[in-house]
Amino acid sequence: MGHREGLADEHPSCDRIQNIAIPLFLLVWGVDSFLLKWTTILSTSLPFPLRLFVGLLLVVFGVYMTWVSHETVFSDEGSQGLIDWGVYGLCRHPMYLGVVSLFLGMSFVTFSLAAFLISVALFIMYDRFTAYEE
């Protein structure tokens, strides 16, 4: 990942916590959704095509927000100071929003309650990161 001079400091544990939280989410989501299916009991309450459609919308939105915000921050225009245009005109932390949206989308497709709970924990974690970085 690149570095840009003048950026506000990120949370000191941000990278370390993300390096644990993201694989943990993927592990819980994969094992619960496809192997054990302990918390996917509600998946029958909504038809799969609807869950897939909503989940894919969230995943695509998440990938878009993460990608575009990363490109913006490390572009020549992004190095000029506070970024308040593009996706940053919509949201102060679009990378974090993108990651949480991606996880919510994956959770929604399989309706894994365990994955939803980890998504909520990740939302709280990213909320703490944003409070620190502001």
Side-chain angles (χ1 to χ4, degrees):
M1 187 173 274
H3 177 72
R4 196 184 87 173
E5 293 300 322
L7 284 177
D9 287 334
E10 68 179 14
H11 190 278
S13 302
C14 182
D15 290 339
R16 185 178 19 208
I17 292 171
Q18 288 184 94
N19 286 337
I20 294 168
I22 292 170
L24 177 65
F25 169 84
L26 293 172
L27 177 69
V28 168
W29 175 75
V31 169
D32 185 50
S33 297
F34 303 109
L35 296 176
L36 302 178
K37 299 183 181 189
W38 284 342
T39 68
T40 60
I41 192 153
L42 294 177
S43 64
T44 58
S45 63
L46 285 175
F48 179 72
L50 177 62
R51 287 184 288 128
L52 183 63
F53 178 73
V54 173
L56 284 176
L57 282 178
L58 286 167
V59 166
V60 167
F61 174 76
V63 168
Y64 173 79
M65 291 297 280
T66 304
W67 180 268
V68 171
S69 62
H70 186 271
E71 291 295 312
T72 302
V73 167
F74 296 105
S75 70
D76 289 337
E77 299 89 25
S79 65
Q80 304 302 317
L82 179 67
I83 302 169
D84 60 358
W85 45 270
V87 292
Y88 284 91
L90 302 172
C91 170
R92 212 43 244 141
H93 294 277
M95 283 187 208
Y96 294 162
L97 176 62
V99 171
V100 171
S101 295
L102 183 94
F103 292 146
L104 283 174
M106 292 170 66
S107 300
F108 200 84
V109 169
T110 60
F111 239 55
S112 167
L113 298 178
F116 275 123
L117 286 174
I118 292 181
S119 295
V120 169
L122 287 169
F123 175 81
I124 293 167
M125 175 188 78
Y126 284 119
D127 180 60
R128 301 283 188 248
F129 289 164
T130 60
Y132 178 88
E133 293 173 7
E134 291 295 320

